[in-house]
């Protein structure tokens, strides 16, 4: 066994003399030395009497420090063997390829996030100050699980004028993002078969399953969700304004067919309106909920308009689900953080939210246009009329992803969005899901140049047709 190395001992004694308390200082110095390997496992520490004499401490102080570190597992003490350094669990080093995978990409064109650098910090700060200055005392107490009435009232007016949603305040439940809304609803619909778009977002399928729901796939084509394929599902989750990930908008005939299906079967439509405000070729398409407010649960969020960090979302519910969802919210986290709700209320009521959304729409449209310009007319790009992502068709998805990784470019892939994998990927459309919201303005053009380089030589299915789709 190793003996206590005198050099280390001198260092420890000097480290412990920093005014934090002599016992605490000795404990910290010994603990740090064990952690960083200066005191190797098995090293025998000096007797308490000897260390006390060298450090100018009382023996009781040294003994108390040793006892504390024995209790924490850094030292061991056995009769006749003295006090020794314990063998701590080793941290297994990652293999080189794992470290390479963990490296951040040079350019990030993955979908799912807005340009968080465009967060309206000054407007949010003003709204937050006004909210705090005018908030009643009960705002700092436990609140209504449905959310602050001020925000539900403001959302009622905003959603009606901006998205065509019929949203009385009493039918709104404020959530910590749309994912929580989906989770709460799944619990309330216990035992219901829930159809979800195929392809669709894998994480949302996981959320439904994690909360006890049974997921069944329903295919999506160039007109959106295939209503005739819904079978005996009791509910369906759809993204009608800008389907994720294909980008198609639900055709008017399909909208009517879907609401007729829900009325006829007594089923439920869950409308995920994750980026419905961002439409570039005309006014945003109104929410499906306005056609059938008694059959549609509307999920909205500030994650794409402001930023995911705020964790603010909302549900507009048919009357018969309000109490059950509010009760599920109560037993989940009681209620969403109140001061942020009041700040968003101020932002909406002052029209600052509308101004910010309009500015973002212009910014993202310029980004969309630059994407099309850089890729050229021979690239098959779908879903470009709205949202923050586009689907770029390719012939060989695996090769395109490999080229992207080699160039330090992160993009999404269509293949990971299918409900079930297939051995022959050629039997399904292949493509890259390109998000143009994430990159900062200064690096976005370079990211598109790299994307164009990645796609060179990996033609796409639309090359035979030409043009944008």
């Amino acid at each position: 066994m190793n003996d206590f190395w005198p050099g280390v001992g001198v260092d420890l004694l000097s480290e412990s003399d920093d005014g934090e308390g002599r016992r605490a200082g000795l404990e910290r110095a010994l603990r740090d030395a064990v952690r960083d390997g200066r005191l190797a496992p098995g090293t025998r520490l000096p007797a308490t009497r000897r260390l006390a004499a060298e450090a100018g401490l009382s023996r009781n102080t040294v003994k108390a420090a040793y006892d504390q570190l024995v209790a924490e597992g850094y030292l061991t003490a056995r009769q006749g063997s003295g006090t020794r350094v314990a063998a701590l669990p080793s941290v297994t080093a990652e293999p080189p390829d794992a470290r390479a995978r963990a490296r951040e990409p040079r350019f990030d064109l993955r979908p799912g996030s807005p340009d968080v650098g465009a967060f309206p910090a000054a407007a949010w700060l003003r709204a937050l100050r006004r909210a705090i200055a005018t908030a009643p005392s009960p705002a700092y107490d436990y609140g209504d699980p449905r959310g602050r009435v001020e925000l539900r009232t403001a959302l009622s007016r905003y959603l009606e004028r901006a998205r065509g949603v019929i949203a009385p305040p009493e039918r709104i439940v404020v959530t910590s993002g749309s994912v929580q809304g989906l989770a709460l609803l799944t619990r309330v619909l216990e035992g219901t078969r829930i159809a979800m778009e195929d392809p669709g977002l894998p994480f949302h399928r996981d959320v439904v399953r994690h909360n006890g729901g049974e997921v069944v796939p329903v295919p999506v084509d160039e007109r959106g969700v295939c209503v005739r394929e819904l079978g005996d599902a009791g509910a369906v989750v759809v993204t009608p304004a800008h389907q994720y990930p294909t980008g198609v908008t639900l055709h008017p005939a399909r909208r009517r067919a879907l609401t007729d299906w829900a009325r006829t079967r007594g089923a439920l439509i869950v409308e995920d309106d994750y980026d419905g405000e961002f439409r570039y070729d005309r006014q945003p398409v109104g929410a499906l909920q306005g056609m059938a407010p008694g059959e549609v649960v509307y999920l909205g969020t500030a994650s794409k308009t402001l930023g995911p960090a705020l964790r603010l979302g909302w549900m507009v519910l048919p009357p018969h689900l309000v109490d059950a969802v509010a009760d599920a919210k109560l037993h989940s986290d009681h209620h969403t953080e109140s001061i942020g709700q009041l700040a968003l209320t101020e932002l909406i009521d002052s029209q600052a939210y509308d101004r910010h959304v309009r500015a973002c729409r212009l910014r993202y449209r310029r980004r969309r246009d630059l994407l099309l310009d850089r890729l050229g007319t021979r690239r098959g790009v779908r879903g470009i009329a709205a949202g923050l992502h586009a689907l770029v068709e390719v012939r060989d998805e695996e090769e395109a992803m490999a080229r992207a990784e080699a160039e330090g470019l992160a993009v999404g892939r269509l293949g990971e969005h299918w409900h079930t994998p297939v051995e022959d990927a050629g039997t399904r459309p292949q493509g890259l899901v390109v998000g143009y919201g994430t990159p900062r303005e200064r690096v976005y053009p370079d990211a598109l140049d790299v994307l164009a380089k990645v796609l060179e030589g990996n033609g796409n299915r639309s090359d035979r047709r030409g043009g944008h789709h």
Side-chain angles (χ1 to χ4, degrees), residues 249-285:
T249 299
L250 188 63
H251 190 275
R254 293 279 176 88
R255 289 165 70 100
R256 292 189 292 271
L258 186 59
T259 53
D260 288 345
W261 168 83
R263 290 191 182 101
T264 301
R265 290 189 53 85
L268 194 68
I269 302 167
V270 183
E271 179 178 14
D272 181 3
D273 196 34
Y274 67 101
D275 64 358
E277 289 94 342
F278 301 127
R279 181 86 188 192
Y280 308 124
D281 59 345
R282 62 186 178 202
Q283 286 294 108
V285 176

Side-chain angles (χ1 to χ4, degrees), residues 234-388:
V236 59
V237 181
V238 292
T239 49
H242 189 233
Q243 200 275 333
Y244 191 87
T246 66
V248 301
T249 299
L250 188 63
H251 190 275
R254 293 279 176 88
R255 289 165 70 100
R256 292 189 292 271
L258 186 59
T259 53
D260 288 345
W261 168 83
R263 290 191 182 101
T264 301
R265 290 189 53 85
L268 194 68
I269 302 167
V270 183
E271 179 178 14
D272 181 3
D273 196 34
Y274 67 101
D275 64 358
E277 289 94 342
F278 301 127
R279 181 86 188 192
Y280 308 124
D281 59 345
R282 62 186 178 202
Q283 286 294 108
V285 176
L288 183 67
Q289 191 266 3
M291 296 179 63
E295 288 76 36
V296 177
V297 173
Y298 177 88
L299 299 180
T301 177
S303 292
K304 300 300 185 291
T305 53
L306 294 174
L310 295 182
R311 306 316 305 142
L312 285 170
W314 43 87
M315 310 173 71
V316 183
L317 297 153
H320 68 281
L321 288 175
V322 174
D323 289 344
V325 171
D327 185 68
K329 172 70 174 173
L330 175 68
H331 290 91
S332 175
D333 62 357
H334 205 302
H335 65 90
T336 297
E337 179 271 315
S338 296
I339 303 306
Q341 293 186 55
L342 294 176
L344 181 57
T345 302
E346 290 285 343
L347 210 64
I348 294 172
D349 287 345
S350 68
Q351 302 293 308
Y353 186 74
D354 293 74
R355 292 192 294 271
H356 173 70
V357 170
R358 287 196 297 270
C360 286
R361 189 182 298 129
L362 290 173
R363 179 183 301 108
Y364 294 137
R365 177 170 183 165
R366 288 194 295 268
R367 290 192 173 198
R368 189 279 310 262
D369 292 347
L370 186 58
L371 169 69
L372 296 177
D373 180 67
R374 292 296 174 95
L375 295 189
T377 58
R378 290 180 59 78
R379 296 292 178 196
V381 185
R382 299 175 58 187
I384 60 174
L388 305 182

